[in-house]
Amino acid sequence: MLSRVANSVYWMSRMVERAENVARFIDVNYNLTLGDSSPFVNQWEPLVFTTGDYDLFKKNYDTASRENVLKFLAFDRDNPNSIMSCVMLARENARTIRETITSPMWEHVNRFYLMLRNAVNDSSILYDPVSFCAEVRNASHTLVGTTYTTMSHGEAWHFLRMGRLLERADKISRIADVQYYLLLPKAEDVGTSLDVVRWSALLRSNSALEMYRRVYGAIEPNNVAQFLILDRHFPRSIRFCLIGAQHSLMEITGSRPGTFRLRSEQLIGRLSSEFDYMSIEEIIDQGMHEFIDDFQTRVNNVGNAIHEDFFTVPMRVE
Amino acid sequence: MFTSDGEARDCCARYVQKLGKLQAGELGRRQTSAEHALRNMGITFNVYGHADGREKVWPFDVLPRIIDGNEWTHVEAGLKQRIRALNLFLDDIYNEQDILHDKVIPEELLASAGTLRPQMRGFSPAKRVWCHISGVDLVRDADGTIYVLEDNLRCPSGVSYVLENREVMKRTFPQVFEGIAVRPVEEYSEQLLKTLLQCAPPGTIAPTAVVLTPGSYNSAYYEHTFLAQQMGIQLVQGSDLVVENGYVHMRTTQGLQRVDVIYRRIDDDFLDPKCFRKDSCLGVPGLIDVYRAGRVTLANAPGTGVADDKAIYAYVPEIIKYYLDEDAILQNVPTYVCSDDKHRQHVLANLDKLVVKPTNESGGYGILMGPQSTREEQAKYVDLINANPRNYIAQPMLNLSTVPTLVDERLQPRHVDLRPFVLCGEDIYVMPGGLTRVALTEGSMIVNSSQGGGSKDTWVMENKSDPQAQPAPQTISSEPSAPQVQSQSQS
């Protein structure tokens, strides 16, 4: 496929996934702040740390009130990572490659955008974002499902999948990071019902609660981390995303397992195999936050290598 | 749709019956749901000059425009004849120039055409096809005669909307098709791909075709993506293409891949900075060298614009006579060419009655509508014409026919034109119907979508009987049916 088109396909997919995850951030936070006695009331600031746009937020808003943070994360066009900005960019990418994606896919991207355009004028979302976040999630899922069932699983499809999974891996790590940081049990909270409520909210925002219970039953902080970072079968765990992204990359290049020709293959292969042979104890010992910081740097390096290898490659006749 | 005494014309009778059975408000509901479908499908066009490059939803009227099958047979024959002749004309102009030697067309008229491309002299494209894709604008005047208003032989657009109008109609108003034999338009994309591949450089095995677009800011970008998608070929921008080893290639994730046929939606001037406009960044440096070497096909061929120059247009009946030895089946609008002294005097004396058009513009730019113009405007055009007579032609003001259109929940007459699409490869294919554009403002003749025009699904009815076996039943109608002409079989 054309390099330019591959680039657009990849970013369209990343941006939709990003929008979905911002909705998940909002959702988990809202859940955590429910109940007046909760110490998390008005804990909206950490959310802006999570997305990495704190400076921009500070520049344009005076307080980190719920309305301001929600406005900033959901609708602010000056915030390149707001749900609105992500979906607009996804749609613009989709519009330039309408001939490559299928009509139903285009239609769902377009509907996603139209839904947001209507939501901007709905002030109730700033007080009760739950159903709005669900709508954003569903719009993203509908698109993923439509992609899976209407588009040939060829090169373009693998670029879509790779973009989506790399984006998701990065975002899961951010959710885990902030929430872990907030939720690390204070001695007096351990075992209280509040504790369980918080961890459940974290799992639920990642659509992971039911599957977690099936694997581990009771909620244990280390098990939650293990499930979100290292589980092999759960589609919103980091390891699952890395396995899938690596698989798509190999489908694109045609390299055999255990070999690499391009820098991007080398980086993602190494990262993925580390996750294969890692234990949660090692991560906790190293320090969750440090581990996640390091991981995010490495995912960025994979993204940069993909750019070099496929989208900006100097071309010669082969 | 109706005769002057209010009866439904034969070809519309069944449809009118169906409309009569609808409940009050139903048409309005269908109209709303059609608009909703268009918005969700993202069927839009860009309007230049809007701050945020605002895409506007394609304006669509839920009432179809209906054309009698027998009348269409005549139109189709006329279009095929016209395109065949214009194609021969182009091949002649850029090579032997017999038509000039035989004094059928004044040489200076041709030499002064802004759309003539001297770079193409002495060149013939594959299969000698120049205008692979044409969109011929037709209008019906008050007396019922169908006239050709202009031949668009460069990059005519609008066909995607024809196909999408039909799709939206089927989605939102399926009942109206039941029991009514409407000729399908859906095979156009297939025919287009066939036409393009037929004209690949000779000897190419399994040729690769692409659509070349100026990019997503172009007003017709939606159409470019649509056609590429329907044909299942790549949509490329100039920057995706590169000339290497004497061939055109596209940059892919797996390296360079050769391209044999380019359906280009970029004007001649921008195709190749080495050959035409040097400041173009939309084209491909070196493309024309490859083209002239016969290693890539461009559709339409560079240089076709000379055949839709509005002054050359006046000579199309002579062109048809010269190359085919036939009389033109479709009428030209009477045209005064201002570079001719007698014509010019007539035009200057009658500016208040005529429509004046620049010869090499398209898209309705720079036109003077005489009967609706002020004295100052007319005075301005006197100067313009005297300063550059070659650049202007004039025609009588036509009174476009009207069809019923849904406005404010009521059926009201609105003026329409029609752009059928013609494909020319090894033979000629005419899409049954075309793009019907409708002026939504009462009394207005301006059908351009950028200026508030709308569009309709266009139904060509199946012939009830073979017109050669039986004459069409005589009906008294305000739109007299055209004389029957046997359609010419193409071989």
Side-chain angles (χ1 to χ4, degrees), chain B residues 47-95:
Chain B
V47 179
Y48 293 130
H50 267 271
D52 48 359
R54 179 55 60 82
E55 302 159 59
K56 295 187 69 161
V57 172
W58 180 246
F60 173 74
D61 182 75
V62 75
L63 289 168
R65 184 253 190 97
I66 299 182
I67 300 174
D68 176 80
N70 294 327
E71 182 175 46
W72 185 255
T73 306
H74 162 80
V75 170
E76 185 174 315
L79 290 169
K80 284 183 174 178
Q81 177 197 52
R82 206 170 166 99
I83 294 304
R84 228 160 5 119
L86 288 171
N87 205 31
L88 290 166
F89 168 71
L90 283 161
D91 206 48
D92 183 25
I93 282 304
Y94 285 105
N95 292 283

Side-chain angles (χ1 to χ4, degrees), chain A residues 165-230:
Chain A
L165 292 175
L166 286 174
E167 179 70 26
R168 188 182 297 168
D170 174 82
K171 291 297 171 288
I172 297 168
S173 77
R174 288 174 194 272
I175 293 180
D177 191 21
V178 164
Q179 302 308 331
Y180 211 84
Y181 166 77
L182 283 177
L183 292 171
L184 262 184
K186 301 192 193 72
E188 64 271 23
D189 279 350
V190 172
T192 64
S193 61
L194 178 63
D195 194 31
V196 172
V197 167
R198 290 180 206 159
W199 286 105
S200 305
L202 167 60
L203 285 164
R204 194 176 303 125
S205 77
N206 208 21
S207 302
L209 182 62
E210 291 162 22
M211 289 297 139
Y212 172 87
R213 285 210 187 278
R214 215 172 266 203
V215 177
Y216 295 103
I219 289 187
E220 292 279 345
N222 282 7
N223 285 344
V224 173
Q226 159 108 6
F227 192 67
L228 293 182
I229 297 170
L230 295 178

Side-chain angles (χ1 to χ4, degrees), chain A residues 1-4 6 91 95-96 98-99 101-103 106-107 110-111 114 155 252 315-318, chain B residues 39-42 55 171 216 221-222 225 228-229 235-237 240 244 250-254 256:
Chain A
M1 59 191 305
L2 295 171
S3 298
R4 173 180 55 83
R91 179 178 182 268
R95 201 170 77 82
T96 60
R98 253 170 108 158
E99 78 295 343
I101 59 178
T102 63
S103 295
W106 157 255
E107 197 167 323
N110 195 43
R111 281 173 183 240
L114 293 172
E155 193 182 4
I252 291 165
M315 289 286 175
R316 307 297 318 157
V317 178
E318 303 207 341
Chain B
R39 190 165 300 118
N40 279 336
M41 287 156 87
E55 302 159 59
R171 264 200 208 194
S216 60
Y221 186 70
Y222 163 71
T225 61
Q229 183 183 52
L235 177 68
V236 303
Q237 300 177 8
D240 297 324
E244 282 264 3
M250 52 185 169
R251 303 172 198 269
T252 78
T253 51
Q254 314 285 333
L256 294 180

